[in-house]
Amino acid sequence: MQESTEEEKKLAIEAGNVEDSFPYITVAVDGGWAKRSYGHSYSSLSGVACIIGQKTQKILYIGVKNKFCYMCATTKREHTCFKNFTGSSASMEQAAIVDGFNQSEKIYGIRYKYVVGDGDSSVYARIQEKVSYGRSVIKLECANHCVRAYTAALHCLIKNRQFQIESRNILKKHVGKISSCTRKVIAKSSDLLNMKMQLKDSFAVVMGNDIKLLEHSPLFLEMEKARDNVIRKADRLLRNVTTNPAERYTYVNSIQIYRW
Ligand SMILES: [Zn+2]
């Protein structure tokens, strides 16, 4: 993990990403994996969090918090104690992530300036509050998550019988293209205003003349609301970052080593 961090640091310096004399990088964070994947009751007694470098897609930090120590529970013998956390189970992963951020500056002289998560704002709040440089950390949205949520919202409208079937059929015809167009705009836009404008125009671009059939319908109003949700996040989508599920596999495997 030290090697990965040095690699990220080198790339940051090469790209001129330095602020307050610290090289800064983009990371993806994830926590709570154990709880999601396993239903075991002990999972609430330990929490795992992971920080991945966006450029290298390598693991920079794995933190484990334990509320429970098997040795403490079963023997009075002296032992290396695994207990390193007291507090609510929900805050365990957050605490592990905060540790990771704090040690980035102290040990490696590097800052995690941009952080990609899958929408959990409580982790971000904790980073801002507890990390030495937390005030300068900026949360980014995962472009894939964002477009997937948008597409799902449009599919909900297609199924909603409140709206006229004719309108819904027009949306149904175009929903795939709206989705891929949105993803492309996020990937290719380099400035904020341009991205916002292209997202705003996406319906007209994709639907062509069909838009005239929809424009004044109640369905179209809802479509615009869904689209504007994406536009509102534009500044956080600008770097086209993603949390890559394939990489999660590596991450999960490496965590196995740390679990006992
Ligand atoms: Zn113990």
Side-chain angles (χ1 to χ4, degrees), residues 209-221:
N209 278 332
D210 278 359
I211 198 169
K212 294 203 179 89
L213 305 167
L214 268 188
E215 238 165 4
H216 302 290
S217 67
L219 179 76
F220 195 72
L221 269 179

Side-chain angles (χ1 to χ4, degrees), residues 166-184:
E166 293 82 4
S167 307
R168 289 190 281 134
N169 279 339
I170 296 170
L171 174 56
K172 195 176 174 181
K173 179 176 153 194
H174 295 291
V175 66
K177 276 195 193 143
I178 292 172
S179 173
S180 58
C181 171
T182 304
R183 189 65 191 84
K184 254 182 240 155

Side-chain angles (χ1 to χ4, degrees), residues 68-73 75 77-83:
F68 176 79
C69 169
Y70 181 76
M71 292 296 281
C72 282
T75 165
R77 261 186 293 153
E78 245 178 68
H79 63 280
T80 311
C81 192
F82 283 96
K83 212 190 289 181

Side-chain angles (χ1 to χ4, degrees), residues 64-126:
V64 183
K65 295 284 178 192
N66 293 303
K67 286 166 81 169
F68 176 79
C69 169
Y70 181 76
M71 292 296 281
C72 282
T74 55
T75 165
K76 288 199 165 60
R77 261 186 293 153
E78 245 178 68
H79 63 280
T80 311
C81 192
F82 283 96
K83 212 190 289 181
N84 63 357
F85 189 77
T86 51
S88 77
S89 296
S91 60
M92 267 191 298
E93 291 88 11
Q94 293 175 2
I97 288 169
V98 165
D99 282 358
F101 271 71
N102 276 324
Q103 76 154 36
S104 74
E105 193 180 89
K106 255 182 238 147
I107 299 179
Y108 302 110
I110 186 174
R111 285 181 177 176
Y112 302 154
K113 180 174 177 178
Y114 295 100
V115 53
V116 200
D118 26 25
D120 185 349
S121 55
S122 66
V123 173
Y124 180 59
R126 196 54 75 90

Side-chain angles (χ1 to χ4, degrees), residues 1-18 23-28 51-61 108-112 114:
M1 279 183 265
Q2 179 172 357
E3 225 170 85
S4 316
T5 305
E6 293 300 338
E7 200 182 332
E8 284 276 350
K9 188 175 178 178
K10 193 172 150 252
L11 291 169
I13 293 167
E14 278 171 10
N17 296 334
V18 180
Y24 62 82
I25 63 167
T26 302
V27 297
I51 299 173
I52 299 164
Q54 189 68 26
K55 281 244 170 77
T56 60
Q57 288 292 311
K58 287 177 183 166
I59 295 168
L60 308 180
Y61 179 81
Y108 302 110
I110 186 174
R111 285 181 177 176
Y112 302 154
Y114 295 100

